[in-house]
Amino acid sequence: LLQYQVEELDEFNLAEGEFVEIEQEHKRLANGTELIESCQAGLALLSEDEEVNIESLLNKVIHLADNLQSVDDKLAPVANMLNEALILIQESSGEIEDYLSRLELDPEHFAYLEKRLSSAMQLARKHHVNPEDLSTYHTQLKAELFDLCDDETKLGEVRQALTAHREAYLVHAQKLSQSRTRYAKELDKLVTQSIHQLNMPKGQFKIAVNFN
């Protein structure tokens, strides 16, 4: 089971932090039309509306402030703040324009994200973890499988060692049995001769050596 789980997650191969990224990108593309319309509306208000926009209004106020500070220099800070506000408005407009230029509504990419997002959520439910934790869970399972395989490898090595020791023991035991058989025959002969010398010509001595 562990091997199957790891192989399944290996095949899906969700990177660390990927789920959060694809979730955010999916959300952005799903609301792409609204994002574009809202950004365009914001740009119009900030600087692009030909009739009235914040940038043009600020320029008018700055012109008034410049005239006023020539009369009373105590109004100079106001003119400075208005100029700083104008810079911020222009930078904000630039940021929105840059964002719009990079915002692509790619239906194929959106479908890919939707499929991957759905698969990640299904796998997470199957393994009883949060989708954003799936990559970490995958890493943990691989570590467990590695330890298990390592234990099995060590067990195999122990079995091989036991088999080798048993074979060596059997070889040694067989040699010992052969040696005992040889000496038993010699002893049989000597004892039998002694029995014959005791006027028991039919007497016979025999040692049985068994090897199991």
Side-chain angles (χ1 to χ4, degrees):
L1 177 61
L2 182 59
Q3 178 75 38
Y4 169 76
Q5 289 175 323
V6 170
E7 289 177 353
E8 183 180 44
L9 292 171
D10 279 344
E11 183 178 356
F12 188 63
N13 195 29
L14 186 71
E16 182 71 29
E18 182 185 351
F19 179 81
V20 174
E21 291 178 3
I22 60 177
E23 187 178 38
Q24 291 175 346
E25 189 173 3
H26 178 270
K27 183 178 180 180
R28 182 169 61 252
L29 292 179
N31 296 278
T33 301
E34 181 182 352
L35 283 170
I36 290 174
E37 291 176 352
S38 296
C39 286
Q40 289 174 339
L43 271 178
L45 290 171
L46 287 171
S47 60
E48 292 188 352
D49 193 306
E50 294 181 357
E51 294 183 2
V52 60
N53 61 68
I54 295 174
E55 185 175 341
S56 64
L57 291 173
L58 265 177
N59 276 316
K60 290 179 180 179
V61 177
I62 289 170
H63 180 69
L64 290 173
D66 287 341
N67 290 335
L68 290 173
Q69 74 172 333
S70 64
V71 177
D72 187 349
D73 58 7
K74 290 182 179 179
L75 291 172
V78 175
N80 291 335
M81 286 187 287
L82 289 170
N83 277 294
E84 290 174 0
L86 179 62
I87 292 172
L88 290 175
I89 291 299
Q90 291 171 339
E91 289 179 350
S92 298
S93 296
E95 288 291 329
I96 294 175
E97 288 175 350
D98 182 60
Y99 176 80
L100 281 172
S101 68
R102 291 183 285 106
L103 184 61
E104 297 180 2
L105 302 183
D106 184 347
E108 290 185 3
H109 186 56
F110 178 74
Y112 163 78
L113 291 175
E114 196 162 52
K115 181 179 179 180
R116 191 152 179 80
L117 195 64
S118 175
S119 297
M121 294 176 72
Q122 288 177 1
L123 276 173
R125 283 195 298 270
K126 182 177 180 180
H127 292 279
H128 307 290
V129 296
N130 293 323
E132 57 269 23
D133 298 328
L134 195 60
S135 177
T136 301
Y137 178 72
H138 180 200
T139 301
Q140 292 173 349
L141 286 186
K142 286 197 291 186
E144 290 178 16
L145 181 61
F146 176 81
D147 290 340
L148 181 61
C149 291
D150 190 46
D151 289 342
E152 290 180 352
T153 299
K154 291 178 180 177
L155 182 59
E157 291 173 352
V158 170
R159 286 173 177 166
Q160 288 178 353
L162 287 174
T163 300
H165 285 306
R166 184 175 184 278
E167 290 175 351
Y169 165 77
L170 291 175
V171 170
H172 178 73
Q174 188 173 25
K175 289 181 179 179
L176 181 60
S177 177
Q178 291 172 349
S179 176
R180 286 176 176 174
T181 300
R182 184 174 68 254
Y183 286 115
K185 288 180 179 179
E186 293 178 0
L187 183 60
D188 288 348
K189 185 177 179 181
L190 290 173
V191 174
T192 299
Q193 288 176 352
S194 297
I195 292 173
H196 290 170
Q197 290 174 359
L198 295 173
N199 294 321
M200 290 185 287
K202 294 183 178 181
Q204 188 175 10
F205 181 82
K206 189 172 184 63
I207 299 174
V209 178
N210 296 322
F211 173 71
N212 295 321

